[in-house]
Amino acid sequence: MADSANAPKPSSSVKLVLLGEAAVGKSSLVLRFVNNDFQENKEPTIGAAFLTQKCNLPSRTIKFEIWDTAGQERFASLAPMYYRNAQAALVVYDLTKPTSLIKAKHWVAELQRQASPGIVIALVGNKLDLTNDSESGQGDAEGAEGEESGDARKVSTDEAKSYAEEENLLFFETSAKTGHNVSEVFTAIANAIPETSLKSTRGPGVSNAVGRGGDEQRVNLNGPREAAKEGCAC
Amino acid sequence: MFNNFSSFVQKAQSAAQQLIDPMQGLNLTNSDKNPSKSSLFQNQFRLPSSQTPLYEIPAELTIPPSNVTQGDKERDRGWHYAGKLHLSESYICFSTTSTSFVHTASTSTSSAFTGQTHGGGPSGNGFTFPLCAIRRVERLNSQNFQFALAITTWNGISQELAKDKDALKDKKDFREQRITIQLAGSRQACERFCDGLKKGLRTAVGNVGKCKRVVAECYSEYLLRPEEMKNAPSPDAGLGLIFRYPGDPKKLRDRAKMRLWAEFLRDNGRNATLIRQPTFHKLIRVGLPNRLRGEMWELTSGSFYLRLENPTLYAETLAKFSGKESLAIDEIEKDLNRSLPEYPGFQSEEGIHRLRRVLTAYSWIDPEVGYCQAMNIVVAALLIYMSEAQAFFLLSALCDRLVPGYYSSTMYGTLLDQKVFESLVEKTMPILWEHLVKSDVQLSVVSLPWFLSLYINSMPLVFAFRVLDVFFVEGPKVLFQVGLAILRINGEDLLDATDDGAFISVLKSYFSRLDESAHPKSENPKLRAINRFQELMVVAFKEFSGITHSSIQDLRLKNKDAVLNNIENFAKRTAIRNLGPDSKLLSAEELGSLYDRFYTILYERQQRDHIIQEEQLRRAKHNKTRATEAFAERHDHGVEKGRVGLGPSTSLMDYDAFREFLASIAKWAISDAPASPRRNQSSEKDRSPYFGSFRRSESNLLTPWGGGPEPAEHEFMQRLFRRWDVDSSSTLTLQNVVTGLAQIKGKRDIMGTITYFFELYDDDGDGKVDREGILRISEALLFLSRRGLEGALSNSNSSAMLNGMADSEPGSMSPPIGGTVNERFLGSISAFIRRCFEYADPDHPNNHFGTAQHASSGPDASPFPTASQVADNDAFAIGDDDDDEDDLLAFDGPPEPSSTTNTPDNGSIPPALGKPAGGSGTERTVSKAQSEKANVALDPSNPLYMTLPTFRMVVLADELLEQFFESSFPTSLHIVDGLPNATYQSSSSLTTFSNLNFGRAAAAPIPVPQPGAAAPGRSLRGVLDNIVTDASRVAAEVRRRMEEAQGELEKNAVPGQKDDEEDDEEDLQGLVRSAGGDPERRSVRSSDRDLLDGADADAGAAKGQEGSSQSILDANDEGGRPNPASSAIQGIVEFES
């Protein structure tokens, strides 16, 4: 917590929310990113799970506060509770399930209208290990694991990519199982967060925050005006 | 451990009789504030909803001292409890008051978690006996002239044992369960109760076998089995029997618990015949032994009684739906491998299969819930301790009663209880609450999973099951008490946490250390022995003993609306966003209103249905016996259904709902007759099965349309419905409705609307509408216009006052203008019919009359002179360069010569169809040199059809029709603002032929050869009859309206109408004016129409056969009954001048 004091690099925390259809691998992506681990049968997330992980950039350190949400349709109405004040969102779909991309698009639309303005959204096609191009991905010794059953890909890279470009989203295809591209997603998000919307983690600013202090910290992010000043303070 | 029984008894006896607390609602309704007696009764004893309280009577229960255990002296006297005895259809229940053991426990020992049990659930002492578990009831001679009953149960008597009565007597260790009950009511009341009991017992006899079979599946039967059955197989007590139960049995002291329970069950009966005494609740608080846990959960939650009621439901459901697929099943499959994966049973096929079967079966019997994540975890937990069937019924009890709405499709119950929990935290721990608010930590982020998975996911399993033990007896308040206790115990640490992450990690680490000592540094070894979980239980049930069912229920009611609104806003937002590409044609506001209207109508209809059903039920009950009548309030709590927030029970609109929907946005869709029985007779009858309604059985008790206007019924609406129902499911989704409306309103393009209309009537989609269709179209036009037209109707000055509603009121009519737009529109319609037939294409080219015409105007593809050619033609003036103009002219132009030649005997030339100037206000001139020969086509013996281009042409030929399609029809659908509150009930406000004085004279049709005589004096109906027999429907429509109006007039309603009807003079004037005498109208309004009409008349004059068109012209000109000749002549004169 006192990072900023010890480390030369400024540190700031970013609230990130994961959204997407059930069983597309949201929790697995997080688990890979946070613990570099993979579980075949991960319990479904009830409500939401919360994890944190740091991401070191050359210029600063980002501490991700990750909200991993439940994917089942009926949990959707809980989502606003979780994406409230989020600065970044990972919208995940399953490369082998076209419907999951449709759901992902719904989420993108929801976020664009309802979440904090300026939220950084990354569209992530997961389960690359189930497709043929898993080996073609760079640096994949483990990628071979996934090739057992031929190509299960049902969503073409182009389709998703062009959608992502249209909507101005970051776009990645990942495999939580092999770890392919996972940390890249988070790094890209970290880089995409505008400097101005960063606040320092538990910086001196927190102590002055009175009333709905948290609100102040985060709501500011919406409008860059004041946040910019605070952000510069660290 | 159990030596203070006597004090229990005394306290129980002295406790004041208290009203039963309102229990957790099955559904949150207004009646929750005032729960019905039967729901209280069902909740108190956890009975199925089939049970209603028939009789109740104060009574004293006496349980004889056990002769098995030697015990202490107090026991020898047996136990007495004062309480109330209840009788329902198949149960007899006894309960002391719900506060039967207050202040009993000390907190110092680990076993002392006994606190208050306010409220519902089988908390007090007593029993819940299914009548089929009773073997014998005797009336005792009581010393006080009181009624006393001795009840002997089947307790411990299995089916085999019962058969062999001697064996039973011989058994030394067997002791009948026999209790005595003294009734403390008036003699009459006692007699009544006994009569009821007798009746109930008689009916229950048939179920004794069933009861024994169900009971045989209980582990307690095995536990207490007689010596000679030592080798009987154990009943299924869950996966734990195979894969071991979680936790260390030694640490859990499972054996000791088992011994205690065995003793209790032996003394007090088991499963169906168990009698709750204070020890029962104490035993539950210290944690159930593994192998009895499932059975006790089943018993305390009441799911046992569900199983007893329908023991084979589970197996039947599985069999019935075997092999079927559903969305829920897909969702279940995804989660099967991730439900308590750390428990070995769920790493095995056996466990996974059981889980799949239970979840699947439940998703079938409760499709509204289907499957919700977290159910997999809960059911997995249940399956460790109970059989599949037991888990199935327990899940049902959970979803319906214990945690209602938690797993529903909107999860409103979960969200609601989060709000309740938050307000409880705010109330009980204000400092912590303030801190949470300050640090912007959302409590429900941590607490929601606690509630949703009943702590199974949050705590180590062994402790979660302890919470469940109490939860099933005492109900959902336990979840709140435990949650509050967790926060209270961790209060200081939580106050240090300033963000979600820290907050969560404090609690995480707390849960992981639940088995550690709560007071590790204490000198007192007893205190040191208390672990954190025990501390948690004490805090939960001691410190938060004030949290009762009623306080939770109050908070639920308070927060309900806000929660539902939230959900509904979210659902609305999401739904609207996902309505498909057509929805973009409508504005956001329109979509929002559409959404609201759609669901409001569905919701209100369901509510109404419910009320109607109730009313019917009530009526039915009137015929029942007096006894049942007294308590016949079973259905009096209105279950709220259909509200989006509760998980709409339907999102489909049937045809009747569709009509209601239309009636809320378009005045033409409102029925003409205020309370017309006609609807039920005729319209229902001729409806095809396609237009099935979800609510067939309408009673006359209440208006089926609620407070809104009664919707009309018209073929047009059926067509619209069918058109919108793209997947022919006889129902519309919101998306169907939006798409349907978007196609009408969204395009704002006249050609689109015309095409749309045409397609509505092009049944087989071949681009042709036959005679039938043409007539139906005109009927539809009449139908749509009968309440007046709306929208921007004319570009001419005279139509400035064209406002549908104003128009239809004669009083508001401005004097100089004789005919309102609406009236003139009738003319347009009749002209439309005529022209349609005129320009329709014969089906058979070799028709003797139509040959030439067909050659020229028949096939769409037939080559016409180019537009430029036509434009050169002096007979036409091109209004503007509307795209379609060329077509139209091209179409119009050429046929004329040919038609003239075709019918040489026709002296005059009928007007072509003047092309109106597309609403641009351009001056228009129209050819009037047109012959009227085309009515050959009206001959019914000539099959004919009309193509889309013809239809367009015909529509565009008439300014009013054009405007109708361009603006009036689309704007008649008031999506956003709806209809003003005016009532449209009276038919006197309708614009119909009859209202306008058409055809009031005799219906005698005159096959007029002479032009002059042709026009007036003839009823429209007669004329139409004359035109084509097929037109009879139009006629019928006209006649119907006529009669209606007449009836109305006879009642002499509207003063304005009087003028019209009674004053022939004025009528005549009006006629003259409207017929063309009004200079303003004639000059400003484009003259094309008048000219056309005039020409028609000309034609008629020239050719007797065309009488039909003339009579239509009459209508056009607002029919001159009084002076037929003059009006017609006048018309002609006018035009020619």
Side-chain angles (χ1 to χ4, degrees):
Chain A
M1 284 197 182
D3 279 350
S4 43
N6 314 344
K9 277 191 285 183
S11 165
S12 32
S13 67
V14 165
K15 177 172 176 182
L16 180 144
V17 62
L18 275 98
L19 297 165
E21 204 180 68
V24 294
K26 295 178 294 297
S27 303
S28 296
L29 279 174
V30 178
L31 191 65
R32 173 62 73 189
F33 175 60
V34 174
N35 292 346
N36 196 20
D37 190 11
F38 181 77
Q39 286 176 13
E40 202 63 64
N41 295 320
K42 187 121 182 37
E43 279 195 30
T45 310
I46 302 302
F50 177 86
L51 297 102
T52 58
Q53 173 69 309
K54 285 202 183 102
C55 184
N56 284 305
L57 299 181
S59 60
R60 56 188 174 173
T61 302
I62 300 276
K63 182 189 169 202
F64 279 114
E65 296 174 348
I66 303 168
W67 285 99
D68 175 22
T69 65
Q72 203 192 10
E73 181 67 38
R74 64 188 74 191
F75 284 78
S77 57
L78 311 185
M81 193 158 87
Y82 301 116
Y83 67 60
R84 196 180 62 120
N85 298 333
Q87 292 137 280
L90 255 180
V91 179
V92 188
Y93 68 96
D94 179 344
L95 285 170
T96 67
K97 276 192 67 193
T99 54
S100 68
L101 179 61
I102 294 171
K103 185 72 206 165
K105 289 179 180 175
H106 291 168
W107 277 125
V108 171
E110 166 83 9
L111 286 171
Q112 286 172 340
R113 280 178 188 74
Q114 301 296 332
S116 320
I119 185 170
V120 175
I121 306 175
L123 181 70
V124 174
N126 192 29
K127 307 201 183 175
L128 191 66
D129 50 286
L130 298 177
T131 71
N132 275 345
D133 26 348
S134 54
E135 310 101 285
S136 66
Q138 68 279 58
D140 256 358
E142 328 110 287
E145 286 170 25
E147 70 181 347
E148 72 276 280
S149 59
D151 197 349
R153 177 191 280 275
K154 296 270 170 50
V155 179
S156 78
T157 309
D158 289 345
E159 181 193 351
K161 196 171 188 173
S162 64
Y163 166 73
E165 277 163 12
E166 219 170 276
E167 298 291 336
N168 212 4
L169 318 173
L170 301 171
F171 174 69
F172 290 91
E173 290 188 342
T174 63
S175 165
K177 191 171 180 175
T178 65
H180 175 69
N181 246 354
V182 174
S183 58
E184 284 83 348
V185 176
F186 289 89
T187 314
I189 289 176
N191 279 316
I193 304 274
E195 194 89 39
T196 50
S197 74
L198 291 173
K199 61 165 198 273
S200 65
T201 353
R202 322 268 159 266
V206 176
S207 49
N208 341 337
V210 209
R212 283 195 67 94
D215 255 8
E216 234 170 86
Q217 286 174 35
R218 283 190 179 135
V219 166
N220 278 342
L221 307 172
N222 307 349
R225 308 136 281 163
E226 276 182 63
K229 287 178 208 155
E230 267 186 29
C232 294
C234 49
Chain B
M1 198 170 178
F2 306 119
N3 43 13
N4 46 356
F5 278 132
S6 57
S7 69
F8 284 146
V9 175
Q10 277 157 16
K11 269 170 186 140
Q13 286 168 333
S14 65
Q17 200 85 9
Q18 201 191 16
L19 275 180
I20 300 157
D21 271 346
M23 253 291 281
Q24 56 277 16
L26 296 181
N27 228 321
L28 289 164
T29 68
N30 291 334
S31 60
D32 287 336
K33 281 176 193 147
N34 231 331
S36 75
K37 190 166 184 147
S38 40
S39 69
L40 285 176
F41 171 73
Q42 289 156 13
N43 287 325
Q44 167 79 8
F45 296 103
R46 296 272 160 84
L47 292 176
S49 54
S50 60
Q51 301 303 307
T52 53
L54 299 179
Y55 301 98
E56 54 183 0
I57 195 163
E60 192 181 295
L61 167 68
T62 306
I63 303 165
S66 112
N67 44 14
V68 172
T69 33
Q70 44 289 75
D72 25 63
K73 277 176 194 161
E74 279 112 342
R75 282 196 181 185
D76 296 337
R77 287 186 277 131
W79 299 283
H80 303 278
Y81 297 101
K84 233 174 191 180
L85 190 65
H86 303 260
L87 183 73
S88 75
E89 285 83 350
S90 15
Y91 287 86
I92 185 165
C93 314
F94 180 87
S95 181
T96 60
T97 54
S98 46
T99 51
S100 48
F101 43 106
V102 196
H103 313 306
T104 47
S106 65
T107 47
S108 56
T109 65
S110 60
S111 60
F113 301 131
T114 322
Q116 278 178 309
T117 52
H118 284 288
S123 53
N125 307 318
F127 56 78
T128 307
F129 288 163
L131 290 179
C132 54
I134 291 175
R135 197 175 164 204
R136 201 167 57 233
V137 177
E138 299 150 272
R139 195 167 147 190
L140 302 179
N141 291 322
S142 145
Q143 58 275 61
N144 303 334
F145 302 102
Q146 268 184 331
F147 264 74
L149 303 173
I151 298 181
T152 317
T153 68
W154 286 110
N155 183 50
I157 307 174
S158 68
Q159 228 154 351
E160 305 85 62
L161 218 56
K163 276 177 208 148
D164 190 356
K165 291 210 168 145
D166 295 332
L168 199 60
K169 273 179 197 153
D170 292 345
K171 288 174 65 64
K172 289 226 173 78
D173 59 342
F174 178 76
R175 180 175 51 93
E176 267 186 342
Q177 186 188 31
R178 192 163 183 269
I179 53 166
T180 341
I181 297 170
Q182 286 203 320
L183 304 187
S186 72
R187 191 176 181 83
Q188 216 182 3
C190 295
E191 295 280 8
R192 263 213 310 273
F193 190 95
C194 292
D195 285 349
L197 180 58
K198 231 184 274 174
K199 222 165 87 191
L201 285 169
R202 230 171 276 137
T203 10
V205 168
N207 288 330
V208 172
K210 181 168 90 173
C211 180
K212 287 188 174 164
R213 278 194 299 279
V214 170
V215 159
E217 288 164 34
C218 295
Y219 192 84
S220 57
E221 292 297 318
Y222 174 79
L223 180 71
L224 303 178
R225 68 194 179 282
E227 220 26 72
E228 67 270 17
M229 294 180 66
K230 268 281 177 267
N231 298 322
S234 148
D236 188 355
L239 290 166
L241 278 185
I242 311 171
F243 299 96
R244 302 172 53 90
Y245 295 98
D248 175 3
K250 255 198 200 126
K251 237 171 139 187
L252 294 173
R253 303 186 59 198
D254 202 56
R255 277 168 172 272
K257 286 176 184 171
M258 209 61 179
R259 279 195 300 272
L260 289 171
W261 272 100
E263 186 194 43
F264 180 84
L265 297 175
R266 207 174 288 127
D267 287 353
N268 296 288
R270 57 246 205 186
N271 46 66
T273 49
L274 181 126
I275 298 171
R276 293 181 301 273
Q277 294 209 60
T279 329
F280 176 75
H281 299 279
K282 265 185 124 177
L283 282 171
I284 286 179
R285 284 278 172 95
V286 298
L288 287 161
N290 289 328
R291 271 168 290 180
L292 277 175
R293 186 166 256 154
E295 178 181 333
M296 286 305 151
W297 284 354
E298 192 189 18
L299 215 53
T300 52
S301 70
S303 72
F304 176 81
Y305 308 115
L306 293 175
R307 190 160 71 90
L308 184 61
E309 199 172 48
N310 200 346
T312 51
L313 180 65
Y314 175 65
E316 280 165 8
T317 308
L318 280 180
K320 185 171 161 199
F321 294 101
S322 140
K324 297 224 171 88
E325 290 185 8
S326 73
L327 173 68
I329 291 181
D330 291 347
E331 292 178 326
I332 291 167
E333 281 307 317
K334 277 184 198 166
D335 291 346
L336 286 177
N337 285 319
R338 26 191 218 150
S339 315
L340 301 189
E342 68 276 13
Y343 179 72
F346 294 108
Q347 292 154 13
S348 79
E349 281 298 293
E350 176 62 20
I352 298 287
H353 286 329
R354 288 190 191 194
L355 184 60
R356 174 189 292 119
R357 285 192 293 260
V358 173
L359 288 172
T360 308
Y362 189 76
S363 78
W364 289 120
I365 64 148
D366 191 352
E368 273 177 41
V369 167
Y371 168 72
C372 177
Q373 286 186 333
M375 278 164 77
N376 62 328
I377 291 166
V378 171
V379 172
L382 301 182
L383 281 172
I384 298 178
Y385 293 99
M386 52 188 8
S387 72
E388 286 171 55
Q390 286 174 316
F392 169 78
F393 287 106
L394 186 46
L395 180 58
S396 173
L398 273 170
C399 292
D400 289 345
R401 177 177 288 166
L402 290 169
V403 286
Y406 271 36
Y407 307 123
S408 85
S409 59
T410 59
M411 303 178 69
Y412 69 89
T414 310
L415 292 167
L416 179 55
D417 277 2
Q418 288 311 300
K419 280 274 167 278
V420 172
F421 186 59
E422 281 174 8
S423 38
L424 287 175
V425 172
E426 185 179 1
K427 207 170 77 186
T428 57
M429 291 169 264
I431 296 173
L432 178 63
W433 177 252
E434 202 179 304
H435 172 74
L436 291 177
V437 170
K438 225 193 274 173
S439 9
D440 196 25
V441 171
Q442 237 178 329
L443 183 59
S444 49
V445 154
V446 292
S447 58
L448 188 138
W450 296 352
F451 285 74
L452 199 57
S453 60
L454 313 176
Y455 293 99
I456 296 168
N457 238 12
S458 319
M459 292 182 192
L461 279 183
V462 274
F463 298 125
F465 291 135
R466 294 277 306 272
V467 175
L468 281 184
D469 291 343
V470 187
F471 165 75
F472 285 123
V473 200
E474 299 186 18
K477 63 153 191 157
V478 172
L479 301 179
F480 292 95
Q481 289 172 313
V482 172
L484 291 170
I486 292 170
L487 296 183
R488 161 79 35 104
I489 290 169
N490 293 284
E492 283 183 31
D493 292 340
L494 291 176
L495 283 174
D496 289 339
T498 50
D499 68 351
D500 300 308
F503 198 79
I504 287 172
S505 71
V506 166
L507 295 171
K508 235 185 199 167
S509 83
Y510 170 70
F511 285 133
S512 68
R513 289 181 294 126
L514 274 178
D515 56 344
E516 292 172 11
S517 167
H519 312 281
K521 287 175 194 145
S522 168
E523 305 262 304
N524 183 343
K526 257 191 172 176
L527 215 54
R528 240 187 354 254
I530 296 177
N531 68 22
R532 284 163 166 263
F533 178 76
Q534 288 165 328
E535 175 196 47
L536 175 65
M537 295 294 265
V538 173
V539 173
F541 301 122
K542 282 273 162 203
E543 281 194 47
F544 295 101
S545 59
I547 310 292
T548 64
H549 291 290
S550 52
S551 63
I552 284 170
Q553 199 67 12
D554 285 350
L555 285 170
R556 281 179 175 172
L557 278 171
K558 213 169 108 193
N559 287 288
K560 174 189 149 195
D561 277 332
V563 167
L564 288 182
N565 288 343
N566 251 342
I567 296 173
E568 280 160 9
N569 286 339
F570 180 83
K572 180 173 170 181
R573 211 161 69 211
T574 315
I576 288 175
R577 199 178 304 133
N578 300 335
L579 279 175
D582 280 326
S583 66
K584 304 224 161 57
L585 294 169
L586 298 173
S587 70
E589 193 189 10
E590 283 172 321
L591 289 174
S593 319
L594 263 183
Y595 179 94
D596 292 343
R597 285 182 192 286
F598 184 87
Y599 283 107
T600 306
I601 281 176
L602 292 185
Y603 169 67
E604 283 176 356
R605 286 175 66 81
Q606 281 179 326
Q607 295 294 301
R608 249 179 280 140
D609 274 359
H610 189 77
I611 294 169
I612 289 172
Q613 271 168 22
E614 263 181 15
E615 186 60 37
Q616 281 170 338
L617 219 98
R618 198 161 296 146
R619 285 195 163 193
K621 289 238 169 170
H622 273 274
N623 306 328
K624 280 201 173 176
T625 57
R626 279 193 66 226
T628 39
E629 192 186 356
F631 295 98
E633 9 176 325
R634 180 169 143 208
H635 289 263
D636 62 346
H637 62 161
V639 175
E640 211 167 353
K641 278 209 152 190
R643 187 164 175 185
V644 173
L646 295 171
S649 44
T650 177
S651 51
L652 297 174
M653 185 177 257
D654 65 6
Y655 179 61
D656 275 346
F658 172 70
R659 288 166 59 204
E660 204 176 328
F661 168 73
L662 283 182
S664 77
I665 60 169
K667 57 184 178 180
W668 48 260
I670 296 171
S671 168
D672 300 345
S676 72
R678 189 188 310 115
R679 196 190 133 270
N680 294 328
Q681 293 156 11
S682 62
S683 62
E684 297 266 344
K685 221 190 300 165
D686 56 22
R687 254 199 247 160
S688 71
Y690 173 83
F691 292 104
S693 147
F694 291 154
R695 13 175 291 136
R696 262 278 125 106
S697 58
E698 272 148 18
S699 74
N700 298 325
L701 301 167
L702 290 162
T703 159
W705 307 109
E710 179 181 337
E713 165 68 328
H714 192 271
E715 194 232 5
F716 174 75
M717 290 162 80
Q718 296 183 8
R719 284 183 183 269
L720 210 55
F721 183 78
R722 218 176 292 153
R723 161 93 186 222
W724 290 11
D725 177 19
V726 283
D727 19 79
S728 308
S729 56
S730 304
T731 50
L732 300 181
T733 61
L734 176 61
Q735 176 150 8
N736 291 148
V737 171
V738 166
T739 309
L741 274 173
Q743 282 169 358
I744 295 173
K745 273 189 90 76
K747 293 200 172 124
R748 306 245 175 247
D749 135 43
I750 179 166
M751 292 325 253
T753 318
I754 294 176
T755 309
Y756 189 86
F757 217 82
F758 183 84
E759 284 168 1
L760 271 184
Y761 286 87
D762 181 10
D763 288 329
D764 43 8
D766 62 353
K768 298 171 184 176
V769 168
D770 60 4
R771 187 196 313 277
E772 167 96 8
I774 293 171
L775 290 166
R776 286 192 184 279
I777 291 179
S778 25
E779 280 175 350
L781 292 175
L782 280 172
F783 170 71
L784 293 173
S785 64
R786 73 196 195 294
R787 290 186 187 278
L789 301 175
E790 299 164 69
L793 266 185
S794 179
N795 44 16
S796 57
N797 299 338
S798 63
S799 347
M801 49 80 72
L802 298 183
N803 172 307
M805 288 157 55
D807 285 343
S808 46
E809 286 180 62
S812 71
M813 210 186 285
S814 51
I817 300 159
T820 64
V821 161
N822 298 310
E823 289 158 8
R824 281 184 284 123
F825 191 70
L826 294 177
S828 298
I829 294 172
S830 49
F832 166 82
I833 305 177
R834 180 172 39 71
R835 289 191 192 116
C836 282
F837 285 118
E838 191 173 325
Y839 293 101
D841 304 299
D843 247 358
H844 304 294
N846 50 354
N847 179 302
H848 53 280
F849 271 120
T851 326
Q853 193 199 4
H854 174 252
S856 59
S857 64
D860 306 327
S862 82
F864 288 127
T866 63
S868 58
Q869 266 177 292
V870 177
D872 287 340
N873 189 336
D874 281 346
F876 300 92
I878 302 175
D880 62 17
D881 32 31
D882 189 310
D883 277 351
D884 299 288
E885 185 102 23
D886 294 347
D887 276 357
L888 186 63
L889 289 171
F891 201 70
D892 283 344
E896 274 139 25
S898 67
S899 59
T900 332
T901 51
N902 202 19
T903 53
D905 57 331
N906 191 340
S908 54
I909 298 165
L913 300 161
K915 168 65 185 93
S920 65
T922 327
E923 188 82 24
R924 270 175 270 178
T925 25
V926 176
S927 144
K928 60 178 185 171
Q930 272 289 41
S931 119
E932 180 59 303
K933 56 75 244 157
N935 280 342
V936 181
L938 293 179
D939 182 349
S941 63
N942 294 341
L944 52 79
Y945 64 86
M946 177 175 63
T947 60
L948 176 57
T950 315
F951 181 62
R952 272 192 204 148
M953 174 185 79
V954 171
V955 168
L956 295 177
D958 186 290
E959 187 194 20
L960 269 177
L961 272 181
E962 178 193 344
Q963 286 165 350
F964 171 81
F965 282 104
E966 177 151 52
S967 101
S968 165
F969 179 55
T971 45
S972 72
L973 299 159
H974 302 268
I975 297 179
V976 175
D977 43 345
L979 290 175
N981 240 352
T983 44
Y984 293 97
Q985 300 286 336
S986 158
S987 56
S988 64
S989 64
L990 303 178
T991 305
T992 62
F993 288 101
S994 50
N995 277 1
L996 298 171
N997 238 355
F998 280 111
R1000 284 191 69 214
I1006 310 168
V1008 208
Q1010 308 94 342
R1018 219 173 327 159
S1019 81
L1020 177 71
R1021 175 166 66 89
V1023 173
L1024 288 180
D1025 282 349
N1026 206 24
I1027 302 175
V1028 242
T1029 42
D1030 284 0
S1032 57
R1033 260 187 326 277
V1034 176
E1037 166 74 0
V1038 173
R1039 189 189 311 120
R1040 190 179 67 74
R1041 296 227 193 124
M1042 233 158 61
E1043 283 161 6
E1044 239 174 59
Q1046 210 130 12
E1048 198 78 21
L1049 286 169
E1050 268 152 33
K1051 275 186 254 157
N1052 190 13
V1054 187
Q1057 201 91 27
K1058 257 191 231 158
D1059 294 346
D1060 268 5
E1061 302 294 327
E1062 289 171 11
D1063 193 337
D1064 275 358
E1065 281 297 304
E1066 245 190 67
D1067 209 353
L1068 179 59
Q1069 282 172 18
L1071 166 84
V1072 171
R1073 264 188 255 124
S1074 64
D1078 168 28
E1080 194 186 341
R1081 175 187 163 197
R1082 195 163 49 83
S1083 60
V1084 184
R1085 289 196 87 244
S1086 56
S1087 53
D1088 53 357
R1089 206 177 62 83
D1090 293 359
L1091 285 171
L1092 280 169
D1093 293 346
D1096 287 350
D1098 266 359
K1103 196 167 180 273
Q1105 183 190 352
E1106 254 72 69
S1108 52
S1109 58
Q1110 280 169 344
S1111 57
I1112 293 170
L1113 161 74
D1114 292 351
N1116 242 344
D1117 285 348
E1118 271 97 69
R1121 168 176 58 92
N1123 194 344
S1126 74
S1127 85
I1129 289 162
Q1130 201 158 8
I1132 292 162
V1133 168
E1134 285 287 337
F1135 300 140
E1136 286 175 353
S1137 61

